[in-house]
Amino acid sequence: MTSAPLAARLTDAAGPLFFPVTAYGPDGAVDLDVFRAHVRAGVDAGAAAVFACCGTGEFHALSPEEFQLVVRAAVEETAGQVPVVAGAGYGTALAIQYAKLAEEAGADGLLAMPPYLVIAGQEGLLAHYTALAAATSLETVVYQRDNALFTPETVVALARTPGIIGLKDGHGDLDLMQRIVSAVRTGLPGEDFLYFNGLPTAELTGLAYRGIGVTLYSSAVFAFAPDIALAFYRALDSGDDDLVNALLDHFYRPLVELRAKGHGYAVALVKAAVRLEGLDVGPVRTPLTEPTAAHIEELTSIIGNGRTLLEKYRAREAK
């Protein structure tokens, strides 16, 4: 953990947010050496932060002991170069337990995922995240998705809660997000509160989210093709609409359409792609399943098309 506040480091982020997969060996156990190599490659490629043991990292499939080992490995491998944020979820008691394990492992912050299974009212959700934020010294980003959806008024209350620094949106309702941004801006004038586009392939909606002022986003693609992810990030940031649209049309949209062909593919496809790129991170754990052979072939083609497009674009720019 570094001395600089997480909020400040994420505000100044100059690259995609990296959500590494968790590596498993042939015996099914966590492979920390391979995980470290995966994290190191991402940091060297230009990740702005490492979000360990979150959705792409199969938080749901890790024991508390494994969770802490993986978070500690990420902290040690990054060595303070970029912040490390760890997932925390389930009911309040377990979420606090995971938060404390992350703090002991040296994490810089938490991504607070939805409570397990239950559909709670706004008062209960607020109480849950308030308790989680108070349990450690770690700054917390709340993840809105599935059974944790917030009214603008609740987000204003979250933003007033000590220790909560931002909201990651994995729901995708831009009308709701605009109202949330407006409510926090008017309810807490002058206060900084971070927003993240947290949809499974966030680049596809990057232009739309930027329209309401949300520029931070998680990039699953960065886990397996950082060259493509960084090219898109820089094009989006600089206003290079030609490259943005070309990558959306010929890489990201086909990838999202492939992702929709299988349950759990938001994680399983990413892990398969990391293996295709030469790092054996093992399969996903049950209840997730591996992509079919036909879908792996399609994934290979999509990645190849993305790189071919980049090569043609760079060659054209060099003339």
Side-chain angles (χ1 to χ4, degrees):
M1 184 175 176
T2 62
S3 57
L6 176 64
R9 299 182 80 189
L10 292 177
T11 298
D12 297 332
L17 306 177
F18 175 30
F19 285 66
V21 302
T22 298
Y24 307 125
D27 61 354
V30 170
D31 190 327
L32 292 177
D33 289 338
V34 173
F35 176 75
R36 286 175 180 272
H38 183 42
V39 169
R40 173 47 47 195
V43 172
D44 289 346
V50 172
F51 283 67
C53 300
C54 296
T56 309
E58 297 180 84
F59 171 79
H60 70 277
L62 299 173
S63 70
E65 294 77 16
E66 290 174 324
F67 168 86
Q68 188 172 53
L69 287 172
V70 173
V71 173
R72 181 174 287 118
V75 170
E76 292 173 354
E77 196 60 40
T78 58
Q81 288 180 258
V82 298
V84 173
V85 179
Y90 303 120
T92 306
L94 269 178
I96 288 173
Q97 179 182 345
Y98 277 96
K100 290 180 177 179
L101 290 171
E103 185 175 43
E104 291 169 6
D108 297 284
L110 298 172
L111 177 62
M113 291 180 283
Y116 173 71
L117 196 59
V118 297
I119 298 176
Q122 296 296 295
E123 184 179 353
L125 289 170
L126 181 58
H128 170 77
Y129 292 108
T130 299
L132 178 58
T136 72
S137 65
L138 300 181
E139 293 175 312
T140 300
V141 175
V142 175
Y143 196 178
Q144 168 167 264
R145 59 175 294 171
D146 301 324
N147 59 323
L149 303 180
F150 308 106
T151 64
E153 294 75 18
T154 299
V155 179
V156 171
L158 288 170
R160 288 193 176 114
T161 302
I164 296 179
I165 63 168
L167 179 75
K168 179 183 179 185
D169 180 51
H171 181 49
D173 183 338
L174 286 172
D175 176 271
L176 174 61
M177 277 302 296
Q178 179 63 83
R179 288 186 289 114
I180 285 172
V181 171
S182 176
V184 173
R185 185 169 56 233
T186 56
L188 287 85
E191 293 292 322
D192 292 326
F193 193 66
L194 301 179
Y195 301 97
F196 306 76
N197 176 354
L199 290 172
T201 305
E203 287 91 342
L204 196 70
T205 53
L207 288 167
Y209 273 83
R210 278 185 171 249
I212 60 171
V214 179
T215 58
L216 293 167
Y217 66 87
S218 54
S219 175
V221 169
F222 189 88
F224 62 86
D227 52 337
I228 297 175
L230 278 169
F232 182 88
Y233 178 90
R234 290 165 180 162
L236 188 64
D237 193 52
S238 66
D240 187 345
D241 292 341
D242 287 344
L243 182 54
V244 166
N245 289 328
L247 285 171
L248 287 175
D249 293 346
H250 302 291
F251 175 77
Y252 284 104
R253 179 173 59 83
L255 181 64
V256 168
E257 290 171 348
L258 175 59
R259 189 192 71 215
K261 294 180 180 180
H263 293 295
Y265 270 19
V267 177
L269 274 181
V270 173
K271 209 159 193 184
V274 175
R275 295 196 302 271
L276 286 174
E277 291 294 297
L279 187 64
D280 188 0
V281 291
V284 290
R285 282 180 172 174
T286 55
L288 298 180
T289 55
E290 288 297 301
T292 66
H295 290 164
I296 293 291
E297 184 176 349
E298 191 173 346
L299 177 62
T300 303
S301 176
I302 290 169
I303 296 171
N305 289 343
R307 293 216 165 101
T308 298
L309 189 155
L310 277 187
E311 289 171 6
K312 290 180 178 178
Y313 183 86
R314 287 166 178 161
R316 188 184 72 188
E317 290 295 298
K319 290 182 180 180

